[in-house]
Amino acid sequence: MTRAVVLSGPGPVENLAVVERPVPEPPPGWVRVKVGAFGLNRSELHTRLGLAEGVTFPRVPGIEAVGVVDSDCDLPAGQRVAAMMGGMGRVFDGGYAEHVVVPRELLIPFDSDLPWEVLGAVPETLQTAYGSLTTGLDLRAGQTLLIRGGTSALGFAATALANDIGATVLATTRSADRLDVLREHGVAHPLVDDGEVARQVRELFPDGVDAALELVGTPTLPDTLAATKVHGTVCFTGMLSNEWVVRDFYPIGYLPKGVRLTGYGGEGEDLPAEVLQRFLDQVAGGEVSLGPTTVYRLDDIRRAHDDLEHNRRVGKLVVVV
């Protein structure tokens, strides 16, 4: 037998329950992974709140997990792997479990002696940050980057990658007592989000920033656009506010002249294995920081989800199995 978190249907955290069930058997082309840890994501919160499309219940949530290969495939037994996206936790049972079965193509093998609570914080966050900065923004050395929502796990990951690229990072937080946390994790210009971040940005860089990563959502997007220079780019990636629709969108009135707006939402296959391996090696070597993490056990899943929903923690929330 094995244990898994089952979401009975949309609703409060009480709809999440840890249950025992038979160890799942992988069909042809799928692989069973013995899970070491998994990260929590806004995607799973949206699923629990009934905001995600195409989900059937009951369902084991979880769009990512790290662990070891636990069934026959082309990878050796015990090989450390990351699995993410591709329908995990929505179309089929996901990573909130001691064992997960996924299509082979979702697995990214890696070699690392980092503990599970560290590894569990990386895959989906790194994939999204990497895709946002490369595909979404084409960020280059010497440019300035504004991260709206800097104390999120994605914000810390984007800061680490942007610094590695050679960009100058500005990042926001709604709490003044978190400014030092941003500074300690590589943010050159921490800013308190008072609703007028564009004004603060242009006091530092009168022409605006070269690039901006919007992680809060549509409520702050106009101000983020206003902080960006002509021919600069804003990438809409996150929805920490749980608001992602611009109603009555009139592009000419909404977009500042010459500012480009794009978006990013990738899959696991968009994270090259060599990028994951290099990032893990940099973490192990102390060259980059993941940002703060909060670690839970499987039996703490309701408390973890409640913390996620109410933004009680800074950085990534990770469950060690």
Side-chain angles (χ1 to χ4, degrees):
M1 299 293 286
T2 188
R3 299 201 307 159
V5 176
V6 174
L7 176 62
S8 59
V13 292
E14 286 74 19
N15 287 12
L16 294 165
V18 180
V19 303
E20 286 200 358
R21 60 183 197 169
V23 176
E25 289 297 329
W30 292 53
V31 179
R32 184 174 61 234
V33 174
K34 188 177 187 301
V35 177
F38 58 85
L40 271 64
N41 300 280
R42 304 298 290 191
S43 172
E44 294 124 27
L45 175 60
H46 295 162
T47 296
R48 179 170 66 76
L49 295 178
L51 303 175
E53 297 181 355
V55 183
T56 56
F57 299 96
R59 175 65 65 213
V60 177
I63 64 170
E64 66 172 321
V66 291
V68 298
V69 171
D70 191 47
S71 65
D72 290 336
C73 69
D74 61 307
L75 297 171
Q79 169 68 55
R80 289 193 167 196
V81 292
M84 72 184 104
M85 316 292 282
M88 285 181 67
R90 292 188 173 190
V91 180
F92 57 90
D93 286 342
Y96 284 23
E98 292 179 339
H99 294 86
V100 63
V101 171
V102 300
R104 167 62 182 89
E105 60 266 23
L106 294 191
L107 296 183
I108 305 175
F110 64 85
D111 295 307
S112 177
D113 293 326
L114 289 167
W116 289 122
E117 59 262 30
V118 175
L119 296 171
V122 174
E124 196 278 336
T125 300
L126 177 63
Q127 184 276 131
T128 306
Y130 175 78
S132 296
L133 297 191
T134 55
T135 301
L137 292 171
D138 192 26
L139 190 67
R140 305 296 178 89
Q143 291 187 322
T144 49
L145 170 69
L146 169 65
I147 301 174
R148 196 74 179 251
T151 54
S152 64
L154 183 50
F156 285 114
T159 296
L161 292 180
N163 281 324
D164 192 47
I165 289 170
T168 298
V169 179
L170 303 80
T172 69
T173 174
R174 290 179 298 173
S175 302
D177 59 2
R178 294 180 176 180
L179 291 173
D180 285 342
V181 175
L182 289 174
R183 193 174 290 109
E184 290 165 3
H185 288 87
V187 175
H189 301 283
L191 305 172
V192 174
D193 191 339
D194 59 0
E196 296 183 358
V197 169
R199 173 185 53 78
Q200 299 181 59
V201 168
R202 290 183 181 272
E203 287 175 357
L204 295 167
F205 300 95
D207 292 335
V209 291
D210 297 293
L213 181 59
E214 179 59 73
L215 302 180
V216 176
T218 57
T220 55
L221 181 57
D223 189 45
T224 301
L225 287 162
T228 307
K229 66 171 54 174
V230 174
H231 299 158
T233 304
V234 175
C235 181
F236 188 95
T237 295
M239 296 166 287
L240 294 169
S241 64
N242 291 335
E243 295 183 39
W244 55 91
V245 175
V246 178
R247 303 194 183 279
D248 302 319
F249 178 58
Y250 175 53
I252 293 176
Y254 191 90
L255 298 172
K257 61 179 183 291
V259 177
R260 299 154 177 162
L261 175 62
T262 187
Y264 183 78
E267 292 286 343
E269 63 192 21
D270 297 315
L271 178 63
E274 60 269 21
V275 172
L276 173 61
Q277 187 65 59
R278 181 171 185 267
F279 188 81
L280 293 175
D281 291 344
Q282 289 177 315
V283 172
E287 300 169 53
V288 300
S289 170
L290 290 176
T293 59
T294 303
V295 180
Y296 305 84
R297 307 300 300 189
L298 200 64
D299 290 325
D300 300 325
I301 192 62
R302 290 180 178 176
R303 178 165 61 88
H305 248 254
D306 197 54
D307 287 346
L308 176 68
E309 182 175 0
H310 295 97
N311 299 312
R312 293 195 185 97
R313 307 297 178 189
V314 175
K316 188 77 171 184
L317 279 57
V318 177
V319 174
V320 175
V321 178

